[in-house]
Each structure stands twice: as structure tokens, then as C-alpha cells.
Amino acid sequence: QVQLVESGGGLVQAGGSVRLSCAASGSIFSINDMDWYRQAPGKQRELVAGVTSGGITNYADSVKGRLTISRDNAKKAVYLQMNSLKPEDTAIYYCHAYLKPAPGLAFLNYWGQGTQVTVSS
């Protein structure tokens, strides 16, 4: 079974920083994209940042210049460094991976359980 486990959320003041981590474990043959999504109360889940297996990154306009995604392929891990946080960054942050569990199987979407980030003003 594949698992994505996030850590690093919490309560932080506006202007502060938080680093989120996500590690994939279990039967994993290949990982393609790894991403961070977030969902605020009453809003739809949205893509925050993504990174390909080759290290190409993309960001939502609202977080460019403040959040940085990185990845360690050897550890099957993805990170999100969040700086200059704003109250509107408050949300549950979800790790996502598009991966192939075994040779011969298709790439599938996997999600972590989410980690809460709360930014106080």
C-alpha cells in the first residue's frame, strides 16, 4: 500500500515561516509529479505548487515569491517552504503524488491526509 504522510503544519503569525514535508512509502516503482494543494474553509481545493521528477516547478500566482517547493527523489519526499505567510494562506495542505506502484500498472493519484496551517494576523 502506498502512503503519503505530511508533517510540519501548525500555527504561525503573519509574516512567519513554516516548512511542510511529505514522504511517500510503500510499494512505489516510479513517481512522476509531486504537488501541494490546499483547501480553505468553504473553498475548493487548489494547486499551490508542483514539481516534476526532473525538478521543473510551477506555482499558483498567489504564492509566487513566498513559497518554494522542492523534492528529494531518493527519499521519495517533497517539501514546501512557506515564507512571508499571510492569513489567507490558512488552509489544510495536502500532498499529492502521481505515481506508478509497480511495473505494468498505470500511474495513479495518491493523496496525503492533510496538515493544517493557520496564519494569525
Side-chain angles (χ1 to χ4, degrees):
Q1 297 288 346
V2 175
Q3 280 192 313
L4 299 181
V5 179
E6 301 112 331
S7 61
L11 175 64
V12 62
Q13 288 188 332
S17 298
V18 165
R19 178 177 169 87
L20 305 182
S21 301
C22 171
S25 63
S27 174
I28 298 171
F29 176 71
S30 176
I31 304 177
N32 196 334
D33 295 348
M34 300 188 82
D35 315 281
W36 287 97
Y37 284 73
R38 68 185 179 188
Q39 187 166 19
K43 295 187 177 181
Q44 289 190 328
R45 191 173 298 190
E46 63 174 355
L47 176 66
V48 176
V51 57
T52 69
S53 56
I56 297 173
T57 59
N58 65 284
Y59 297 91
D61 287 342
S62 61
V63 306
K64 284 180 180 177
R66 300 187 299 116
L67 275 57
T68 302
I69 190 170
S70 61
R71 161 176 188 164
D72 186 329
N73 290 331
K75 294 182 178 180
K76 299 184 179 65
V78 64
Y79 309 96
L80 187 67
Q81 178 65 43
M82 308 171 67
N83 298 329
S84 302
L85 284 164
K86 305 175 181 180
E88 50 263 44
D89 294 316
T90 295
I92 299 174
Y93 284 73
Y94 296 92
C95 175
H96 166 265
Y98 188 57
L99 63 86
K100 178 181 291 195
L105 295 182
F107 279 92
L108 298 171
N109 292 298
Y110 290 86
W111 295 89
Q113 80 286 355
T115 185
Q116 177 73 46
V117 174
T118 302
V119 184
S120 63
S121 57

